[in-house]
Amino acid sequence: MPDIKAGRLDGGSLSDNFSDMLPGFARNEARVAAERCLFCHDAPCVKACPTSIDIPLFIRQIAAQNPIGAARTILDQNIMGAMCARVCPTENLCEGVCVREVSEGKAIEIGRLQRYATDAAFDAGRQFYSAGASTGRSVAVVGAGPAGLACAHKLATLGHAVTVFEARDKAGGLNEFGIAAYKATHDIAQREVDYIMAVGNITIEHGKRLGRDITVAGLRREFDAVFLAMGLGETNDLGLGDEPAGVLDAVDYIAALRQAPDKAALPVGRRVVVIGGGMTAIDIATQTRKLGAAEVTIVYRRGKEQMSASPYEQDVAQTHGVTIRHWMRPVRLHAQAGALSGVDLEYTRLEEGKLVGTGEIVTMPCDQVFKAIGQVFVPADIADAGAGITMQSGRILIDAERRTSWAGVWAGGDCVAGGQDLTVTAVEDGKQAALSIDRTLRGTAAQAAE
Amino acid sequence: MADLSVNFAGIRAPNPFWLASAPPTDKEYNVVRAFKAGWGGVVWKTLGEEGPPIVNVSGPRYGAMHASDRRVIGFNNIELITDRPLQVNLEEIKRVKKEWPDRAMVVSLMVPCDEESWKKILQRVEWTECDGVELNFGCPHGMSERGMGAAVGQVPEYVEMVTRWCKQHTRMPVIVKLTPNVGNILRPAEAAVKGGADAVSLINTVNSMMGVDLDAMSPWPHVGGKGTHGGMCGPVVKPIALNMVAEIARTPATRTPATRGIAMSGIGGIESWKDAAEYMALGCGTVQVCTAAMVYGFKIVEEMKAGLSDWMDTKGYRTIEDFRGMAAPKVTDWQHLNLDYVVKAHIDQDLCISCGRCHIACEDTSHQAITNLVNGVRRFEVIEEECVGCNLCAVVCPVENCITMVEMTEGVDPRTGIAVGGHRTWMEHPNNPMARNPQAAGVAGTVAEPAE
């Protein structure tokens, strides 16, 4: 029988395990870290930041003991700077190109410094933004995740009235539901949402799902502009037929874990297999270990280099006792009395650039399998738009200004094609879309007045 | 292995690293710990005249300037001379000197500016059988308001007069400690020489306020809401001290009686053997340390002794006299610098980490002589046609030796169009209306003028 149960660890251990994995800087730590920054000219880190935060400037502000000013520098470019400080794969972005990384192999700790500054502003209750003078225009935003909220915030500061439609009863999107609990402690995702909402001129209508309660065409009629940012609706399937009990969607489990007030209530297997190679795989693997799973194995069909999880994230998982197996893929699920008992894994290799199975199969007994092989966009949600919205590779096609092919409709975040599926890129999408919407609405207004 | 022993104005010590007159040398307990740690000598914290003991503030005496890692780079104090009874100090000095006969024991003194006071204190001090006295003409706070310390040191006539009294009333070597809080250090130094001083020690602390408390709107640190200037020391004062040492070292009036000048004990920001060696290269026979000991403890002397010895071995110097003062003749006035000496910045592209600081510093504030893009690629190269060799790029570069100033030894300076290899100082330069050699100036002038 599968060994799945709640409360594998006592409350104290769970509380330790789900506390801040990398605590914020103390004041002097921050100053020392900040003083290492060289204040580069035309700094590579700024170019590597999808939201173009003036990193050398905010770090200098920290060094000059003005963390609140540093927070303003950050939030001016990225209103979700607090969460991005925690979840950005900085080693692939700003820190990866830091000249100190290049020269010494030790980048300025930009992410942690950003957290230090934004925490300081939040703790001090400093609000930098307010709603702009009303333009009389209204914009509908679909999805209260990073892209949607970033767009709503920028629009509100520019004077537009924003209504956000959100399927869930809580705002924040993947920041609230999709990030490992130990990365977003102290309710930071909600504090950030509150900070954004405090600007005013933004209304969130919860329980409104696109395609069920609202339609793109309807919003387009009702509002002057529409921004689509509903993310991805479904998790990819393993493609192994009927799934016995014990095969779970990692995204759902991560969301449940984040929302669970008592982590001991979550049932977790003794032996856990995670299928996938991205951040979701890392987050579910690490967190099931933290819940008390005895053996957790990530199975990825390609090599270490191809994993979309950053090397740092891979290290985090391995430090927590997660085993990562490369070049293997699941080919069959074993069940006993309708419950999962194991998974057959086939070795893989590349043949002329194509991934193929070698035919060699091993059986890994397990109690739970988590699917973390990516999510897909649900086209049915925008079916009413018909051919109005052009798709590409299963997601919405946008231009540089985040305009879809349907006039008056913009899109951003994970639901658009070609993105990196990061919080920070979603925020940039939202910001750029808001600026584009603003330009468009003001242009129209100018024309109407003539 | 190098011999670090010194004979400084007749005072012998196993090494040149002495503790300056300051809190670390205020009592037997500390000084014995210092000698156990290996210091070559101490200058006992300043003794005053017999009478009610000195009273210090019970608020903060010390303030500091910190680098980002909390390293203390500047330090200041408002502590006065010893606040312990004179006889207690004298007995301790005598005892310690007896127990540590090989170490230099110098006693710092500060009494009112009359001959009788000095005569009296010198007699008391001689009883300790110490090796010498140091006249504290430098302390810039508190005592100076009572007509002592810097109040004497800032008036050359007083320096000379008191020095002369001391030489008359004691057989011991007399070291005059100089205050840097003067317009020209040579005046009190010359006065000390005229008065017959055996040596000068410099510098004492620099008048300073370490900061302003922007909440209390008062100096920082403050005593009960009010602050006063203190005396600053530590690494930040070393350049000031080196310059003053160099001025004394290269000036004929202070280079008597011996050809190598009056004995000098260097003080100011010495934290390592290298700092000490620099003072010695300018002519100092010993160095005195306080701040580094107060920050790190007495153990630092181990690094200083080992480092100096190792460096001397590397250079082949057997004794400190082998290199002492070697850099002093190279110190000159601006007007004697060779204006035809040409260097160009050179950036080692293998060491360059592409931070761009050299570019922006040159671009914004100097000569627009460093690129930031070459063929559209981020790259920092020197534009020799613009480079004046100012050294700013090398100063701001975070990588040691990535940017160096390379001398042009042949050809024509692409910036000025003048052939290198000449030697013209301002004294001969054609642009100098008072040039001493107008003929040479005229010839050179024909080369220089087309550049305009």
Side-chain angles (χ1 to χ4, degrees), chain B residues 117 137 140 173 178 206 215 239 274 296 298 345 449:
Chain B
S117 296
F137 291 163
L178 302 177
V206 179
D215 296 317
K274 191 164 173 292
Y296 302 108
F298 291 145
E449 273 170 10

Side-chain angles (χ1 to χ4, degrees), chain A residues 51 76-78 150-151 154 426-435:
Chain A
T51 57
D76 277 353
Q77 289 298 318
N78 180 342
C151 184
K154 182 60 80 179
V427 171
E428 182 66 4
D429 284 347
K431 184 175 84 183
Q432 292 302 335
L435 294 170

